[in-house]
Amino acid sequence: MNEENREKKMDNWIKVVTWLVTELYDFLSWFTGGFDGQLRAMTMLIVCDWITSILTAVIKRKWSLKEGINEILRKIFIFVLVGIANAIDTQIIPNNSAIRSAVILFYLTNEGMKCLKNAAAAGIPVPEKLKEFLMKMEKKISF
């Protein structure tokens, strides 16, 4: 295969991946009610929890690929629950109730607390103000 054909195949592959990522983003945006500030913050904390979970497991020499994959699947489930809450807000309860926001804030707080626990388990000092804020949010939002 010559260089020109390889470049064309690579360009096509990049176009397909770009299209898939764009479509996935559009679907998730529609399904979850849009990537507003709350959802972006929750997404950041989900990613932080996943990364800190892996780092803590590696530090403690307890990392498992199976557990890592299970953790990703659990994180995907959170987005499904946000989508369900969005459907309730937009399709079932008129006048935009706050179910979606409550679900997002619940998981935002939960993921933030898990990040702090991961940091503590890895021997990293945790800022007291951050811990206090998340504990306060956890008390306000618990179902």
Side-chain angles (χ1 to χ4, degrees):
M1 183 187 315
N2 64 26
E3 189 66 29
E4 189 175 310
N5 284 342
R6 265 188 248 162
E7 284 183 28
K8 283 183 182 178
K9 283 188 175 190
M10 185 59 116
D11 285 346
N12 288 340
W13 187 82
I14 290 171
K15 286 177 185 175
V16 168
V17 169
T18 302
W19 179 81
L20 284 172
V21 168
T22 303
E23 291 302 313
L24 180 63
Y25 178 84
D26 287 347
F27 171 76
L28 286 175
S29 184
W30 167 79
F31 183 71
T32 60
F35 279 106
D36 58 0
Q38 288 181 344
L39 193 63
R40 276 193 298 274
M42 186 192 81
T43 302
M44 284 186 252
L45 286 173
I46 285 173
V47 170
C48 287
D49 175 49
W50 183 66
I51 290 170
T52 59
S53 295
I54 290 171
L55 292 174
T56 302
V58 168
I59 289 169
K60 293 184 158 202
R61 294 178 175 24
K62 294 182 179 181
W63 189 80
S64 157
L65 180 60
K66 181 180 176 186
E67 187 56 37
I69 290 170
N70 286 338
E71 188 68 19
I72 290 171
L73 295 175
R74 286 191 286 270
K75 303 300 183 190
I76 291 170
F77 211 104
I78 291 172
F79 287 96
V80 170
L81 294 175
V82 171
I84 291 169
N86 179 57
I88 291 169
D89 273 356
T90 60
Q91 306 301 316
I92 298 171
I93 300 175
N95 301 324
N96 291 329
S97 72
I99 307 261
R100 176 185 177 268
S101 291
V103 169
I104 289 173
L105 290 174
F106 172 81
Y107 284 110
L108 190 145
T109 303
N110 187 50
E111 296 299 303
M113 290 299 289
K114 288 166 61 178
C115 288
L116 294 182
K117 289 175 185 173
N118 289 335
I124 308 295
V126 176
E128 197 59 39
K129 289 288 182 189
L130 183 58
K131 192 187 316 183
E132 288 172 11
F133 174 78
L134 287 171
M135 289 173 77
K136 211 181 292 183
M137 288 294 294
E138 188 176 44
K139 286 178 187 172
K140 285 183 180 179
I141 296 174
S142 63
F143 291 108

